[in-house]
Amino acid sequence: MRLNELERRLEKVAGFTSPSTRLEQYQTPAPLAARLLYHAALKGDIGGRRVGDLGCGTGILAIGAALIGAREVVGVDADETVLSIARENAERSGVEVTFLPGRIGDPGVSSSIGPCDTVVMNPPFGAQNVHADRPFIDTSLEIAPRVYGIFNAGSRQFVESYIAERGCVEEVIGGLLSIRRTFSFHTRDVREIAVEIMVISRKVA
Ligand code: SAH
């Protein structure tokens, strides 16, 4: 599937109906999701792989991974109500994805997801709860040797020092995330946030 075809399919994935501020629920825009997935696919990390999506929300990254040939995809989110939207999205897209309720950071969550070849994720940036992104980084490296994550622009240094002995940032791709007015504290109708797709590889112990 070509990049623009993937993007077109992902445009059809329904977003959050009543997004929670506390959980930082923003859907990844289709062009950014497609870019992350396509890049991972070119690196050989999607086709035939077992892929995990941490904080999957309504499932855009998980569904995209399945659309471009992942062998098995598991999406996890703390909010059960969004998982029912994710399940409908997968069905409408004609792919099979397992969506599990779970809070990243809780003990036992890594084993309920199981080992993956690749993690894709757009975790909370920690704008509402400081360090909300940390358990996502920890869990991703526990379960997979390769991680493709979306972070605030300028996070590379933090991520690199945070993962230190556990992994290294292989590559950083800049992108923009356009956010439509979602929450009352947003002052503009559309805001563009500079983000970075980071490709992280786990270090072999
Ligand atoms: N990955 C989706 C959603 C991004 S928004 C997409 O790309 O569109 C971040 C998601 O993380 C939300 O769905 C929110 O419910 C979920 N989330 C926030 N904290 C979480 C936690 N500790 N454990 C699991 N999910 C969490």
Side-chain angles (χ1 to χ4, degrees):
M1 189 182 298
R2 299 168 69 96
L3 176 61
N4 56 3
E5 166 72 359
L6 176 62
E7 197 176 313
R8 207 178 51 76
R9 299 278 297 266
L10 294 182
E11 295 284 0
K12 298 195 182 114
V13 171
F16 296 99
T17 44
S18 45
S20 145
T21 315
R22 187 178 51 82
L23 291 171
E24 295 190 44
Q25 292 181 332
Y26 298 105
Q27 188 185 33
T28 306
L32 185 63
R35 196 148 156 232
L36 180 151
L37 292 164
Y38 210 73
H39 190 75
L42 290 176
K43 297 260 177 188
D45 289 325
I46 303 289
R49 305 297 187 187
R50 184 170 199 268
V51 178
D53 177 359
L54 308 184
C56 61
T58 58
I60 193 164
L61 293 172
I63 291 165
L67 282 170
I68 56 174
R71 173 170 53 85
E72 193 186 341
V73 186
V74 182
V76 183
D77 205 282
D79 182 351
E80 297 226 22
T81 59
V82 306
L83 293 178
S84 54
I85 305 177
R87 290 190 187 104
E88 277 171 34
N89 280 332
E91 197 176 322
R92 244 182 293 124
S93 304
V95 292
E96 231 176 85
V97 175
T98 305
F99 288 106
L100 298 175
R103 181 169 292 278
I104 305 301
D106 280 358
V109 77
S110 296
S111 55
S112 69
I113 306 165
C116 294
D117 299 300
T118 307
V119 160
V120 293
M121 63 180 186
N122 182 5
F125 288 172
Q128 297 301 319
N129 302 296
V130 187
H131 307 326
D133 49 344
R134 295 186 181 190
F136 282 79
I137 300 171
D138 296 339
T139 305
S140 68
L141 286 171
E142 263 167 50
I143 64 174
R146 287 280 258 184
V147 179
Y148 292 79
I150 299 174
F151 297 89
N152 256 325
S155 306
R156 182 184 190 140
Q157 265 196 326
F158 155 70
V159 173
E160 263 170 350
S161 61
Y162 183 67
I163 60 180
E165 305 305 313
R166 295 177 288 162
C168 60
V169 177
E170 300 275 354
E171 212 181 328
V172 179
I173 302 156
L176 282 177
L177 202 159
S178 323
I179 294 188
R180 257 169 277 139
R181 177 190 279 275
T182 315
F183 301 123
S184 53
F185 61 78
H186 287 171
T187 49
R188 285 186 231 144
D189 286 343
V190 178
R191 200 154 64 101
E192 302 246 284
I193 297 187
V195 295
E196 286 171 348
I197 298 170
M198 275 187 228
V199 184
I200 302 171
S201 287
R202 184 164 67 191
K203 282 188 189 160
V204 210

